[in-house]
Each structure stands twice: as structure tokens, then as C-alpha cells.
């Protein structure tokens, strides 16, 4: 049964606080295994990749090669369903258009005393993209991770994806190709992350690794962090729907289920201002789940992590929404814009009754890689910014140095850094 | 003796590659100790802070209180050297002016088919700032960490600083006050990080923790990451000076020493196109270090990690500069701008003969918290962007939903997510 909370109940605050602390995923202890795998790949390169892939993915890379060939990509276009390929292209174009607006601008200026300052953005030179195998091998995720990198100007986008049992989903290859991935390797797990970070005979090392993965992949990313950059470690997905009683309960139920069906700790939360409406949604959820061809994940997530929170009026939901800081927030009521203007924490917001979150998963144009587990309080979804870095610029002439010198020397002396003071003073014969 | 490399030597590539891999700091195994401290602070709150502070900092917080009082801050202004306070104010104003230019702009637009998209930036609501105690208690670092947070609009900026032996550097309190820090607590170490992340009776939890610290602080930040955001884990500082023979060897030597005197693995590298000039710089470094009142750190860093790299012409240095990806890069030659235009990786660049890196440490206006240990390949210095987060926005009407639906449903079906497809289809009676 999903949690039921009522903001006007006396015990609400402690129950809500406990709800926020609910752990939704196990953290298996895999650090040692992962450390050994990374050391093995560093020591033996391709040979280790081939051996580990035989063991974990039951695929013979010695025979089929580590790198996916251009011919295989061509073949994937033929194997893939034509309508789906068309949908991928449609999504690609929309995602690309949106992300092109995210490129940060350089800044260079001269201040009042003639000091030149600036910031210059350049692309990360090479990026590795991890794509899970099996059921979670989503072509849409390939687009969402690769397109911002390409828009940023990354030259090398190296994708790794396990060929579980020897095969890779052709749609994943197609998505990679149309998103601008430059290299594809059929390796997965911690060994793939190790290869991207440290390089092997076949795989050149990259500067940053992005993309979702299981506990082994996440642990490997943490371990190679520093040697390379990494994106956020994504947790289970979540949606928070704020809805009034003017909604069709079936629509809202469908949105809650769409999130829950991800399973693995996915969370769906409804905040409503009408108990009868909330009951109607709950009933619709049960009815619709039962009608799903594969109900198990949705059933389990809704039962274990689902929540319905009643508030006296939707305005009262504002502090709750900010504390939940959900990955996805649907605002399905007339005053959604005014509510959003006062909100603070959300990975993405879906405004109005006709914007189901699923649109953002695929074809809205915005990115579906978003902060989970309340991390929208301090972090943002994936964007072009994740694939660029800034160099700050200073340029002084002798006159500017003279003007800044006294304060710089005073602070250097106060911090006991004599050499710092000297490097300024020596230029002014001080 | 610093490393000497010559790009035209046959063994250069392997020697340079080995140089890039040099480890400059020990990674003591403190994870277990830190885990216990965090658990203790979570369990016992203020009582744990008081006990741990008595043990590690020899300060009685039971008597003096955990929070620094407004009267103590007033007293600090009186105790501090007036000229240094003036220099801090000068630095504060310059840093603030520069960082005000970094605030990202919101974006909201309607695309060709009427879909509304956007990105909205909001400040992180509360930030914790770690300030080390003792010798590394730098008021300039307080400014560099707190000012971007205040410019971003962070409401709560809670500073923690150990009162080693009971005392806090008055300049640190003054810098905090003038930079807009809203709360100051005299705790340090892993216990301070734990208190910021999880809260105690006195310290409210924050959403993100920034600032440098020792191995315990770094380990604690890694452990609380996820619960809160953290900034980069800073490594030892480094400077790379690219200089031609028209420079005064004494100036360049002074810049190399300014970096080396940080000690603790700090690295100073010179790339020059003239062997006689390089020799003159090396001689000047030795001479100037000997003349320092506290030569030990500079001597050790220069000996253990210093490097002089000769190239036939400065243009040849370009790939080396990008591979070193230094925190600070000084370009001390006439064609510096053209060189910089072709460079890719650096935390900050200092252009021309009159821009010693030290100006950026204090009063240039740009931030001195910059990526170390080659991480400028994939990350940037601290900025206002570290204290804001982005919410992406989607808004469709029924007509837009109708247009996007077929591709969204096709992709949902291809990924086996029936509930996803349904949440779109149900709104269109499909």
C-alpha cells in the first residue's frame, strides 16, 4: 500500500520527514570486486576485457572484436523497425535544437582600472558514454547522453555497451550513430569503465565518463573519478504529481504508473487537495496496473514507495514540493505557472494537464537525465554544460599590476606566504 | 632536483608520460575513522561535536559555545590589522564584481509547433563552507568560496572552522563577515562535515558543502555526497609557466616559488624555448628560495615535483600544455594571446609578463578555487554556477501533445515501457 499522509494531521511533520528519508535502493558492497577488475584491465588491457566479457556477458570478443564496425551499424539500421528509427530521428532533432541553446557564452572585458578579465568555455576533448545492456538498454538514453556532448563540440564520443549473449539492441546502435557517437565498444560493467578511464590497446582513454549503470558501474565510476570526470550517480527515478480534482483521475494514474514501471525503487507521489479525487486516482492506479501486460514492476514500486499526500489547498503543497525536490514534477492545475514561479527544487517541471512527464523522456527536447533522490536541491540535469569547462583569464599591464600590488602583498603577508608577495613585488622593484 | 625534459630528446614521450602520472599526495586510509565520526555526530549531535572538538582541537565548546557570536565578529575587526582588512575589502569588491557577470540566464521559448520549453536557474538554498584551521586558514579562501554563493543568492551560508587551541584567525572571521557568511561554527574535521550534512541541535543541515580540507575532511565530503552536494576534492596546487628568454629570470623564478611554497605536493613547471634562460631561472629559483624566511616548503616542492621542459619553439609547447592541463598557466611571451586561442585545458590563464599568478590568488577578481591534478581536462574553477541549479521546463497544450504523441509512443513501445506509452495515449483517447 502506498503511504497516505495528510498535511493537516498532527503527526504529519514527523511522518513526512520519515518519508523523505526512505531508502529506495540497496547499496551492495562491490568496491573490492570493482577494484580488482579495474586493476586487471589496467594491467592486461584488451586481454582482460575479452576474458571478463566472456565471463560476465557470455560473448566472445576475441572472435567478434571489441569495436563495433561501420558495417554492423549499417546492418542495425536494416534490422531496426523503420517507424522507431523515424521516431528516434524526430527525437534527436528536437533534443538537438533545445540543447543548442545551452552553450554558454565566453566573456571578456576590461575593468575600470584596465585589468582584462574573462571566462572562456571549451569542450571536453573526449567523453565515454556507458549504456547498460539487457532490458535497461534504452536508445532514448543514448540520445540524451550523446547529443549534449556533440552539441558542446566533444571530438571523441566513445560508447560502451555490453553485448549480452553476443548481441546489442540495433536501436541502441542506430541511436548512437544518429547522435554522433564516434566509437562503439561491446564491453560493459566495471571493466568498460576501467577501459574508458585508463585505456587499452583498442580503447583510447577519455577525459570524462557519463551514463547510467548498475551498482558495479556506479562503483567503478566513483573509483576512477579524479583520473577522469564523471556525471552524477543516478538513483531510482521519481515523479511528483500535484493535481487538483478537475483532472481526469485516469490521466494522473497513468502518469504515476509510467514512473513506477521503471521498478528498482522508482517512486510516484501524488499531492492533491481533494480526498475523493485522491481516492479515485488510487483506484485508477490499481485498475490500470492490473491491465498492464507486465504489471510486476509498477505494482511493486507503487506498493513499496508510492505516496498520496493530501493538502487543504494546493498552495500549501509548495514547501512539501521543495523538500521532496523530485526529479520530475507535474503541475496539473490551472495556476501551475504561478506555483512554479514560487517553487525552488525540481529536476524538471511539466506544466499543465497536457504535459505528461513521458513527453520529456522522449521527444520534448529537454534532457531526461535528471537529479534523483532529492539531489535537485543542489544539482541539475545533464546539459551541454556537463561537456564544457571554463578557463578564467587575467591580463594585466605594468600599470594595473602597480594598482593591485599593495592589496595582494598585504594579503600574502597576512597569510604568511612570502613567496607570493615577492612574485608581485619583484616586478615593481619593491 | 627538479625534472629536466627536452621535447627534442628521443626518450621524451615516455618520460613526459611518466611525469604526468607522478602522484603528488598520499591518500591515507581514513574512511573507517571518518565513517565512525559521522555516525557519532548523527547519533549524538552537539554532544559529539563538543567531545570531538575537545579531543582534536583542544577547545572547550561547552564553555565557549559552538556558534561564533556577533560580538566576537565585531572584536575580530578590532583585533585584525587595519591595512589587511582594507585589502580584504578591496579583494571582496573585485571578486564580487567579476562573479556578478557569471549568473546564468533563464531561457523560455516556444518552438515551431507551439511547445514551450525552458530552463530556470535558482540558488541552492543553503551552503556549508569548510575553512581549515591553523596555517592553512586563509581569509582569501573564505572570500573565494563565500562570494560566489552570495552572488548566486544562497540564503544560508554556514561556515565551519576549527578553533585550534580555542582561537580562530580574526581575519577569517572578518573575511566571512564581509563576504556574507550568515552563520559561523567553531568546529572542524569530519565532525564539521557531518554536522553540515546531517544537522545537530545547533547547526541546521545544508544542501551543499564546499571548501578545502585535509584528508579527513575530503573523505567526509565523499561520504556525505548524495545526501548533500559537494564541490571538487582539491588536490595539491600547481603552476605551469611558459616563458621565452625575453623575461627576467628572477620574475619567472619568483612565480615558480610562489606556487612551490604551498608545499604538500605543490608543483611548479617551466616550459622554455631557451636552455640558457631555463638555466638562469633554475639558478634564480635556488637563490631566491635560500633567501626566503621560511624556505622549507618551496625547497621540498621544487626538488620533488618541479620540472623544466625545453622545447625548440614555444609553439611546440601547445600539446604539452593541454596534456598537463594545469590549474594555473602563465603565458609570459609576446604572442600569448594567439597561443591561448589555440590552447584547450587550463583552470586559469595569466596572460603576459605582468600578470603573476598570485594576482589571481587575491585581487584579480577571478576565483582561486581551480581544478588541480589535470582535472582542468574536464572541470572548471568555482563559480556562481556551483551555487545554482537548473530546472527544465516543458509545457504542452492538447495540440502539441497530439503532434508529439506518435513518436513518444513508438519509442516507449520499443523500450518495452507500456505504462509510458499509455500515459500519452490516454490523453488522446488512443
Amino acid at each position: 500500500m502506498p503511504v497516505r499522509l495528510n498535511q493537516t494531521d498532527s503527526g504529519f511533520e514527523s511522518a513526512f520527514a520519515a518519508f523523505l528519508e526512505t531508502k529506495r535502493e540497496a547499496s551492495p558492497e562491490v568496491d573490492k570486486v570493482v577494484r580488482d577488475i579495474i586493476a586487471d584491465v589496467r594491467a592486461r588491457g584488451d586481454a582482460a576485457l575479452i576474458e571478463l566479457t566472456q565471463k560476465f556477458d557470455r560473448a566472445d570478443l576475441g572472435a567478434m572484436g571489441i569495436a563495433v564496425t561501420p558495417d554492423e551499424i549499417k546492418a542495425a539500421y536494416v534490422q531496426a523497425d523503420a517507424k522507431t528509427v523515424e521516431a528516434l530521428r524526430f527525437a534527436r532533432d528536437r533534443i538537438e535544437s533545445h540543447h543548442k541553446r545551452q552553450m554558454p557564452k565566453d566573456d571578456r572585458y576590461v575593468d575600470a582600472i584596465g585589468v582584462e578579465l574573462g571566462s572562456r568555455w571549451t569542450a571536453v576533448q573526449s567523453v565515454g558514454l556507458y549504456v547498460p545492456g539487457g532490458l535497461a538498454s534504452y536508445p532514448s538514453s543514448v540520445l540524451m547522453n550523446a547529443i549534449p556532448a556533440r552539441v558542446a563540440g566533444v571530438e571523441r564520443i566513445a560508447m560502451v555497451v555490453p553485448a549480452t549473449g553476443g548481441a546489442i539492441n540495433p536501436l541502441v546502435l542506430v541511436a548512437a550513430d544518429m547522435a554522433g557517437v564516434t566509437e562503439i565498444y561491446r564491453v560493459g560493467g566495471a571493466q568498460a569503465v576501467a577501459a574508458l578511464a585508463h585505456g587499452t590497446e583498442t580503447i583510447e582513454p577519455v577525459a570524462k565518463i557519463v551514463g547510467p549503470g548498475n551498482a558495479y558501474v556506479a562503483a567503478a565510476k566513483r573509483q576512477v573519478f579524479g583520473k577522469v570526470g564523471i556525471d552524477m550517480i543516478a538513483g531510482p527515478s521519481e515523479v511528483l504529481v500535484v493535481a487538483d480534482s478537475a483532472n481526469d483521475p485516469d490521466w494522473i494514474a497513468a502518469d504515476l504508473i509510467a514512473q513506477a514501471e521503471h521498478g528498482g525503487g522508482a517512486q510516484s507521489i501524488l499531492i492533491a487537495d481533494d480526498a475523493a479525487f485522491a481516492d479515485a486516482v488510487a483506484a485508477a492506479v490499481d485498475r490500470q496496473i492490473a491491465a498492464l501486460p507486465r504489471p510486476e514492476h509498477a505494482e511493486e514500486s507503487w506498493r513499496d514507495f508510492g505516496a498520496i499526500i493530501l493538502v487543504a489547498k494546493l498552495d500549501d503543497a509548495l514547501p512539501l514540493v521543495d523538500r521532496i525536490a523530485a526529479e520530475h514534477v507535474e503541475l496539473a492545475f490551472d495556476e501551475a505557472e504561478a506555483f512554479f514561479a514560487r517553487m525552488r527544487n525540481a529536476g524538471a517541471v511539466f506544466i499543465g494537464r497536457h504535459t505528461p512527464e513521458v513527453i520529456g523522456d522522449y521527444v520534448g527536447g529537454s534532457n531526461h537525465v535528471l537529479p534523483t533522490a532529492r539531489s535537485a536541491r543542489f544539482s541539475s540535469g545533464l546539459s551541454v554544460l556537463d561537456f564544457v569547462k571554463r578557463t578564467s583569464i587575467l591580463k594585466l599591464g605594468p600599470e594595473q599590476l602597480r594598482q593591485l600590488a599593495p592589496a595582494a602583498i598585504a594579503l600574502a603577508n597576512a597569510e604568511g606566504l612570502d613567496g607570493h608577495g615577492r612574485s608581485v613585488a619583484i616586478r615593481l622593484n619593491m
Side-chain angles (χ1 to χ4, degrees), chain A:
Chain A
M1 282 279 290
V3 173
R4 282 252 186 176
L5 301 174
N6 189 326
Q7 197 180 20
T8 60
D9 285 353
S10 62
F12 177 78
E13 173 52 34
S14 65
F16 183 69
F19 169 71
L20 287 181
E21 295 288 329
T22 310
K23 219 168 139 53
R24 292 189 281 135
E25 53 175 346
S27 329
E29 216 5 284
V30 297
D31 278 348
K32 171 74 174 70
V33 179
V34 166
R35 205 176 303 279
D36 292 345
I37 290 174
I38 293 175
D40 190 21
V41 172
R42 289 189 72 171
R44 298 194 299 132
D46 283 352
L49 289 185
I50 290 168
E51 199 179 298
L52 291 163
T53 300
Q54 186 70 61
K55 179 172 162 191
F56 294 122
D57 301 331
R58 304 170 312 284
D60 181 4
L61 298 190
M64 64 180 103
I66 292 172
V68 170
T69 65
D71 280 349
E72 290 177 273
I73 293 168
K74 263 183 231 155
Y77 275 95
V78 178
Q79 288 165 54
D81 170 61
K83 208 180 116 202
T84 314
V85 172
E86 209 30 68
L88 275 176
R89 213 169 263 132
F90 179 80
R92 190 265 318 266
D93 292 347
R94 289 193 57 86
I95 297 163
E96 192 170 87
S97 298
H98 179 68
H99 284 75
K100 278 184 177 162
R101 301 175 69 100
Q102 294 177 338
M103 193 69 194
K105 294 206 178 13
D106 293 348
D107 186 25
R108 182 98 184 236
Y109 65 101
V110 182
D111 76 6
I113 62 165
V115 176
E116 282 193 52
L117 296 103
S119 299
R120 188 186 65 176
W121 294 93
T122 46
V124 175
Q125 290 178 293
S126 54
V127 164
L129 164 52
Y130 191 92
V131 176
L135 271 183
S137 189
Y138 294 141
S140 62
S141 287
V142 175
L143 297 183
M144 294 291 181
N145 280 278
I147 291 171
R150 188 176 57 170
V151 169
V154 175
E155 287 101 334
R156 280 186 63 218
I157 306 177
M159 184 173 107
V160 292
V161 54
T164 316
I168 298 173
N169 179 352
L171 286 170
V172 163
L173 297 182
V174 166
D177 185 61
M178 60 173 64
V181 167
T182 56
E183 307 154 30
I184 305 176
Y185 305 102
R186 54 188 126 231
V187 286
Q191 58 274 23
V193 175
L196 288 171
H198 296 286
T200 69
E201 297 87 331
T202 301
I203 304 179
E204 257 197 275
V206 299
K208 182 164 184 169
I209 301 174
V210 301
N214 63 17
Y216 293 87
V217 171
K221 280 168 70 180
R222 278 183 199 272
Q223 287 185 23
V224 299
F225 175 56
K227 168 78 184 168
V228 299
I230 62 170
D231 61 348
M232 63 191 108
I233 306 284
S237 199
E238 69 234 355
V239 73
L240 165 60
V241 183
V242 185
D244 65 11
S245 59
N247 287 283
D248 183 332
D250 271 323
W251 294 15
I252 302 301
D255 298 351
L256 295 170
I257 291 169
Q259 199 61 224
E261 78 172 333
H262 281 294
Q267 182 167 57
S268 302
I269 307 169
L270 169 67
I271 297 186
D273 58 354
D274 183 305
F277 172 75
D279 290 340
V281 172
V285 168
D286 291 342
R287 204 168 53 236
Q288 288 186 33
I289 286 181
L292 280 179
R294 284 159 290 198
E296 301 77 15
H297 281 164
E299 207 167 73
E300 186 181 299
S301 291
W302 178 244
R303 180 193 67 213
D304 294 346
F305 305 112
I308 296 175
I309 303 174
L310 277 180
V311 293
K313 51 187 196 305
L314 289 186
D315 240 30
D316 296 344
L318 203 55
L320 308 183
V321 172
D322 277 338
R323 286 170 70 187
I324 295 171
E327 183 188 13
H328 308 105
V329 177
E330 284 188 20
L331 301 177
F333 51 99
D334 290 340
E335 311 74 21
E337 287 280 3
F339 188 96
F340 175 58
R342 294 160 58 211
M343 263 180 63
R344 195 72 173 260
N345 299 332
V349 72
F350 302 85
I351 297 178
R353 307 183 199 278
H354 302 278
T355 318
E357 181 276 322
V358 167
I359 290 295
D361 286 343
Y362 294 119
V363 292
S366 49
N367 208 292
H368 79 198
V369 182
L370 293 164
T372 57
R374 304 187 64 217
S375 63
R377 293 173 299 128
F378 52 79
S379 64
S380 309
L382 197 72
S383 78
V384 169
L385 285 172
D386 292 289
F387 299 99
V388 294
K389 67 262 180 344
R390 208 184 58 251
T391 299
S392 71
I393 305 163
L394 269 185
K395 184 178 182 179
L396 280 65
E399 177 48 31
Q400 287 74 44
L401 186 60
R402 204 164 299 129
Q403 292 199 46
L404 298 188
I409 294 171
L411 292 171
N413 290 343
E415 295 185 351
L417 295 170
D418 308 289
H420 279 59
R422 275 189 53 77
S423 105
V424 175
I426 200 170
R427 286 172 162 83
L428 302 168
N429 295 311
M430 287 167 79

